[in-house]
């Protein structure tokens, strides 16, 4: 059993959450990791994202977790850290995926990769709670819930609609806008 | 006297009028007195027995199981047995240990324990065993701590959460729980809410409580607190220029040298491997100072700490001076602190430049040899640009000592030996761009260091003709603006 509460060693001027790594001002020359959390239908959403990134000339690398119910394998995290500059994690629409993917987002952030997690609206609170418990001010973006019953065309449309927000969250413009 | 009428922890067992008895099985006196407890019950006195370890041992008295020690904590029990008399929910008297006359008076029973010895001491209460009281304060008391509380999930690893929150220098930190912080605060008489100073770069007020929390993170023992506090106060002396030192692109950080009796009392190392790893006080005092700069001040590498390369000394760099040889004047005394007092000296410096000389036999030879290395500090062609700290080993000092050279003489001779002709030092001379201002070409002899810019400390193992030079920070070129600072440690 671990200790249950700690005291803050800082002057408490900032949020309890550690800010995520500052994203770059632009995505020119950057490589974005597209991490599929391993839940069904996420790949269809990411297929579309991949095309959208290619359409604006931004390099991507695809990754797929073996299961959404665990954090990503260390080798995958290391590969992303070695070969990419930013990460988009999609698409969490359940409790375990939200928890595990938030840890992945945090892990990559601590390796210097800012990123954004895409979740369904139902898991807004779960994301916030997981962030709070690990003290991480992660970036997130929400698409309509449920998504498991959507057609591929509908998932692509959701990807189209979220793309600008994803781009913004991967650059400093999002910080300014926020 | 504690007011137990307001507490709920004891109910429903608690009695408004009667006696409360605190015992443990492991206490011989407690066990010996079982016939006395029986007499109390048979006399019709309302008696509540509270057992700290094995309730079954006293089962005939239907005891309260206080293995959590909550009742013992709330009654502030220091010794078992303790017999407390309660009237109308308030404690009116107590006896601890076995004193037959006193117990008879307290119980109002003339022949109580008549067959037992007149007197026998009790044992320590489990609630007062080392480290326990702070846990009980955390669980049941008002800790008085004001810092923001951060909950860690039951299954979460607090060390990892400390990393997540950015509180670490890269090495694991000790999670700052209330019990640990309270223990750390017991190492100082200063109030937790006292502000020690404004910590750069964010210039935010740092309380004694925040110092204690960071000392916990660093792994300090409570008895190091006076040194940690003195180090911080010294670092915050404007003359030390901690602000510039932490933001600098240079390698430097604060190097802490401890003098006086406290060094021995808290087990610091000034001998073998004094500048290296392996001693808790050396390692954690220097680390605590750096963690305060990081966590309170906001001096985070890559953000406002802009050191090009940094250096391992920025994790921690703290050691004591060897004062075992009475012929040697301690650094603190040379810098104005009364002999026999404890003090810290903070020096703005880098990691070590090793100095090897296994051939010099005379003080003159050794001095020239030291000078050849000292003039390389920062850059061989820079002068009055950085300070330096020479850590003089035992065998090198022996050469000086045998010749009758003391601190003053060694310092003066080293200064003299470090003088170089200005023509050799100016920018461009010898085909090297770096150097002193070309307008000084005809100035003649130029000292390497300001008069007060060469500090000498004795440390290290008895064997080895090796000393160390700790190169100073470039801020030292502003002679009147940035200097090492020495301050007495108040205990």
């Amino acid at each position: 059993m671990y200790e249950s509460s700690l005291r803050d060693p800082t002057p408490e001027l900032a949020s309890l959450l550690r800010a995520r790594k500052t994203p770059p001002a632009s995505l020119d020359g950057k490589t974005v990791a597209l991490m599929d959390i391993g839940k069904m239908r996420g790949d269809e959403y990411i297929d579309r994202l991949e095309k959208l990134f290619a359409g604006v000339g931004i390099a991507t690398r695809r990754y797929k977790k073996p299961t959404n119910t665990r954090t990503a394998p260390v080798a995958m995290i290391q590969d992303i850290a070695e070969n990419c500059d930013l990460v988009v994690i999609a698409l969490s629409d359940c409790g375990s995926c939200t928890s595990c993917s938030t840890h992945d987002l945090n892990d990559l952030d601590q390796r210097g990769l800012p990123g954004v997690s895409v979740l369904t609206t139902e898991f807004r609170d779960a994301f916030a709670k997981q962030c709070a418990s690990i003290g991480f001010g992660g970036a997130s973006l929400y698409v309509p819930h449920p998504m498991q019953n959507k057609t591929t065309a509908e998932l692509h449309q959701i990807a189209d609609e979220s793309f600008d927000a994803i781009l913004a969250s991967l650059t400093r413009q999002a910080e300014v806008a926020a | 006297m504690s007011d137990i009428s307001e507490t709920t922890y004891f109910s429903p067992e608690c009695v408004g009028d009667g006696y409360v008895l605190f015992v443990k099985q492991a206490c011989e006196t407690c066990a010996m007195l079982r016939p006395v407890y029986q007499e109390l019950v048979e006399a019709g006195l309302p008696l509540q027995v509270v057992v700290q370890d094995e309730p079954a041992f006293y089962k005939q008295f239907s005891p309260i199981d206080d293995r959590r020690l909550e009742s013992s904590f709330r009654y502030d029990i220091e010794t078992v047995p303790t017999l407390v008399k309660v009237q109308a929910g308030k404690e009116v008297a107590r006896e601890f240990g076995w004193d037959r006359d006193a117990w008879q008076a307290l119980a109002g029973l003339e022949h109580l324990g008549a067959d037992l010895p007149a007197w026998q001491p009790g044992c320590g209460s489990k609630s007062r065993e080392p480290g326990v009281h702070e846990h009980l304060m955390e669980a049941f008391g008002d800790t008085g701590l004001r810092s923001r509380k951060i909950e860690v999930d039951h299954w979460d690893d607090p060390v990892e959460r400390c990393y997540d929150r950015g509180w670490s220098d890269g090495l694991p930190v000790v999670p700052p729980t209330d019990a640990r912080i309270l223990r750390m605060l017991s190492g100082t008489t200063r109030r937790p809410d006292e502000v020690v100073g404004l910590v750069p770069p964010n210039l935010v007020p740092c309380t004694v409580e925040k110092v204690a929390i960071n000392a916990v993170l660093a792994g300090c023992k409570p008895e190091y607190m006076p040194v940690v506090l003195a180090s911080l106060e010294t670092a915050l002396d404007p003359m030390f220029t901690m602000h510039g030192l932490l933001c600098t692109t240079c390698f430097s950080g604060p190097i802490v040298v401890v003098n006086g009796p406290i060094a021995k009392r808290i087990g610091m190392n000034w001998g073998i491997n004094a500048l290296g790893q392996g001693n808790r006080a050396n390692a954690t005092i220097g680390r605590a100072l750096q963690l305060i700069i990081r966590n309170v001040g906001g001096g985070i590498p890559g953000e406002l700490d802009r050191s090009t390369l940094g250096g391992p000394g920025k994790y921690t760099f703290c050691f004591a001076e060897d004062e075992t040889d009475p012929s040697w004047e301690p650094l603190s005394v040379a810098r104005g602190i009364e002999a026999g007092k404890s003090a810290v000296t903070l020096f703005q410096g880098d990691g070590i430049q090793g100095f090897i000389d296994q051939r010099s036999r005379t003080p003159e030879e050794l001095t020239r040899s030291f000078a050849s290395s000292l003039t390389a500090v920062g850059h061989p062609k820079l002068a009055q640009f950085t300070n330096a700290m020479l850590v003089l080993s035992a065998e090198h000092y022996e050469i000086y000592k045998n010749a009758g050279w003391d601190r003053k003489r060694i310092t003066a001779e080293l200064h003299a030996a470090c003088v170089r002709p200005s023509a050799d030092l100016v920018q461009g001379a010898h085909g090297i761009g770096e150097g002193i201002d070309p307008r000084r070409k005809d100035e003649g002899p130029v000292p390497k260091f300001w008069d007060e810019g060469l500090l000498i400390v004795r440390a290290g193992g008895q064997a080895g003709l090796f000393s160390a030079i700790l190169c100073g920070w470039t801020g030292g070129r502003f002679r009147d603006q940035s200097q090492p600072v020495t301050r007495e440690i108040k205990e």
Side-chain angles (χ1 to χ4, degrees), chain B residues 150-178:
Chain B
I150 290 161
E151 301 301 329
V152 176
D153 187 84
H154 184 76
W155 299 109
D156 247 345
D157 185 337
V159 174
E160 292 299 328
R161 295 294 81 82
C162 290
Y163 273 117
D164 283 335
R165 290 182 187 275
W167 300 343
S168 159
D169 51 14
L171 294 171
V173 292
V174 177
T177 59
D178 283 9

Side-chain angles (χ1 to χ4, degrees), chain B residues 10 39 58 70 107 159 179 182 241 345 361 375 382 443 463 468 474:
Chain B
F10 209 57
E39 283 183 61
Y58 295 97
E70 180 173 0
V159 174
L182 291 172
T241 48
T345 297
R361 300 283 295 269
T375 49
L382 289 173
E443 190 177 305
T474 54

Side-chain angles (χ1 to χ4, degrees), chain A residues 2 7-8 10 12 18 110, chain B residues 147 152 156 164 178 210:
Chain A
Y2 293 118
R7 295 279 181 173
D8 192 341
T10 77
E12 303 170 26
R18 188 189 87 252
Q110 297 206 37
Chain B
S147 295
V152 176
D156 247 345
D164 283 335
D178 283 9
K210 293 292 183 191

Side-chain angles (χ1 to χ4, degrees), chain B residues 1-5 9 15-18 20 22 71 74-77 82-96 106:
Chain B
M1 298 273 175
S2 59
D3 181 356
I4 61 167
S5 63
Y9 64 96
V15 283
D17 289 290
V20 187
F22 290 85
S71 296
R74 294 193 185 278
Y75 274 89
D76 198 17
I77 301 300
T82 289
L83 182 64
V84 180
K85 184 174 183 181
V86 178
Q87 281 180 347
K90 284 188 191 293
E91 175 177 340
V92 292
R94 69 167 66 185
E95 289 296 334
F96 50 87
L106 187 63

Side-chain angles (χ1 to χ4, degrees), chain B residues 393-446:
Chain B
S393 67
E395 288 191 350
H396 279 151
Y397 175 57
E398 198 69 14
I399 294 169
Y400 286 128
K401 186 182 167 184
N402 290 340
W405 287 25
D406 62 3
R407 167 189 285 281
K408 204 170 168 186
R409 175 85 188 269
I410 298 167
T411 306
E413 297 280 357
L414 284 171
H415 272 296
C418 286
V419 167
R420 294 287 182 268
S422 59
D424 281 352
L425 301 180
V426 290
Q427 292 163 16
H430 302 290
I432 297 169
E434 186 58 276
I436 65 172
D437 189 329
R439 288 170 296 186
R440 297 176 69 182
K441 185 170 186 294
D442 300 321
E443 190 177 305
V446 176

Side-chain angles (χ1 to χ4, degrees), chain A residues 27-98:
Chain A
L27 297 178
D28 288 352
K30 306 290 183 196
T31 300
V32 177
L34 299 177
M35 185 200 268
D36 179 344
I37 63 164
K39 182 102 184 267
M40 56 275 195
R41 311 302 307 276
D43 53 348
E44 295 162 60
Y45 175 84
I46 290 178
D47 285 345
R48 183 67 182 170
L49 278 191
E50 193 174 17
K51 286 201 172 68
L52 291 166
F53 273 109
V56 292
I58 296 166
T60 56
R61 280 171 75 99
R62 284 285 287 262
Y63 295 87
K64 182 169 185 170
K65 285 168 63 170
T67 168
N68 60 296
T69 58
R70 277 200 296 271
T71 54
V74 172
M76 181 185 290
I77 293 283
Q78 288 179 343
D79 191 298
I80 294 172
E82 188 181 346
N83 294 300
C84 304
D85 306 293
L86 300 124
V87 63
V88 177
I89 300 179
L91 199 166
S92 299
D93 72 335
C94 68
S96 56
C97 17
T98 301

